[in-house]
Amino acid sequence: MTNNSKTSNIADKKEAAQLSSKDMPPLNCCKRLWDYQDTPEAKGYALLSMGRGVAVMANVVFNAALLELAQTAAGCLTGEEKEAAGEDYECTNKIYGQNPLALISNIGVVTGLLSAFFMPFIGVILDFTSYRRFIGMVFSIVFTLIQIIQISIGPKTWFPMVILQSIGGFCFAGMIMTSLAYLPEICELVGQTKFSKYTARFTAKQFSIQALFLMLVGGLSFAFGIAKNSTYTARMAMGLNSFFIAILFGVGWHKYMPSRPASRPLPEGLRSCTSVVVYGLKQNIATTKSIYNQYKKGL
């Protein structure tokens, strides 16, 4: 081999090694988006984020159907009839003692109350026991089952679906709380710089899958001629949602999210369920006071 050929080979290797991310082929670029460098927790969190993105968009479609069904049950005009009545039309009828237009906000209130009552206890379990993964899997399974049941939404089942929607919202909050507990450990494993890139990827994946799922539901609803029927569209959305989240949550929790020992020992004297719950409430109160004292003008 001549000196010229050796020099050429060395130059080629240097050039290949110095390729920037902009010069890499698109396939490698996409592959790097899933490269979490032997950090299974990061891969699992990415899948869970994608599952949450699908669930959020599916429930937006579902809530629209719930709202229309509640208005119909209350005797209010909906759809084309409401449009024909003009902008001045206002329905004052009530169903189950509430204005149907307040249905979604009331679901949020119930979900918030359930979270306020039970999250302190769950937070203590996550901090002081090794059941973090188990709790996350339970929340995910219950949430997925609720989504499957909600495929049967209709004029005769809409109110039970409202109750399930409140419980589902609580389970969703529990899933977020449980998965967020892994983020500090991911940061410790990969370092702050790389962790900031990972969190950007998590967010990008969640919102990208939301947009793709919305386009999928919209396209299929037009293709099947059900775009103007919110109930049929909601059924389809929940069916697709159940399929996707069963895969994303299942693989995320079962394959990638590891079990973890307790992050800190249980304080002395906390051996009963009552004392554990009270401790969780005290921790929340202390956190609230700290935020108020240090960030009075906002975060």
Side-chain angles (χ1 to χ4, degrees), residues 9-225:
N9 289 337
I10 294 173
D12 290 341
K13 290 179 181 180
K14 286 184 177 180
E15 184 178 356
Q18 292 173 358
L19 279 174
S20 64
S21 58
K22 294 182 180 180
D23 299 323
M24 297 297 286
L27 182 60
N28 288 341
C29 178
C30 294
K31 185 177 180 180
R32 285 202 305 276
L33 292 176
W34 286 99
D35 182 17
Y36 292 104
Q37 297 184 351
D38 299 326
T39 310
E41 297 94 328
K43 294 180 181 179
Y45 192 91
L47 290 172
L48 297 181
S49 297
M50 294 173 66
R52 292 197 299 268
V54 171
V56 166
M57 193 51 65
N59 279 270
V60 168
V61 177
F62 185 82
N63 284 340
L66 272 184
L67 193 59
E68 185 168 330
L69 288 170
Q71 289 178 292
T72 302
C76 300
L77 299 180
T78 59
E80 295 179 354
E81 295 179 350
K82 185 177 180 181
E83 292 178 2
E87 297 180 356
D88 296 333
Y89 173 75
E90 182 179 355
C91 182
T92 58
N93 297 345
K94 293 187 177 181
I95 184 74
Y96 294 108
Q98 62 179 329
N99 189 319
L101 294 176
L103 182 69
I104 305 304
S105 59
N106 289 340
I107 290 174
V109 169
V110 175
T111 298
L113 290 174
L114 289 173
S115 299
F117 284 132
F118 293 105
M119 286 305 170
F121 176 64
I122 296 171
V124 171
I125 295 176
L126 298 181
D127 282 345
F128 298 111
T129 72
S130 59
Y131 293 106
R132 182 196 306 175
R133 180 171 179 262
F134 174 77
I135 294 295
M137 293 179 71
V138 169
F139 274 130
S140 298
I141 291 171
V142 174
F143 180 79
T144 303
L145 291 176
I146 289 174
Q147 305 299 284
I148 294 173
I149 295 171
Q150 287 181 325
I151 298 174
S152 61
I153 182 176
K156 295 182 179 180
T157 61
W158 70 269
F159 190 69
M161 298 302 163
V162 171
I163 298 173
L164 286 177
Q165 191 72 345
S166 301
I167 300 172
F170 166 69
C171 292
F172 191 79
M175 286 192 300
I176 294 175
M177 180 179 180
T178 308
S179 59
L180 286 177
Y182 284 89
L183 289 183
E185 296 170 358
I186 296 174
C187 183
E188 291 179 2
L189 289 171
V190 302
Q192 185 65 47
T193 302
K194 193 171 292 184
F195 177 72
S196 63
K197 296 180 181 179
Y198 284 4
T199 52
R201 292 182 193 177
F202 298 151
T203 305
K205 286 182 174 65
Q206 178 173 341
F207 287 102
S208 296
I209 202 73
Q210 280 185 220
L212 291 173
F213 185 80
L214 179 60
M215 289 189 288
L216 175 63
V217 172
L220 290 177
S221 64
F222 278 105
F224 289 111

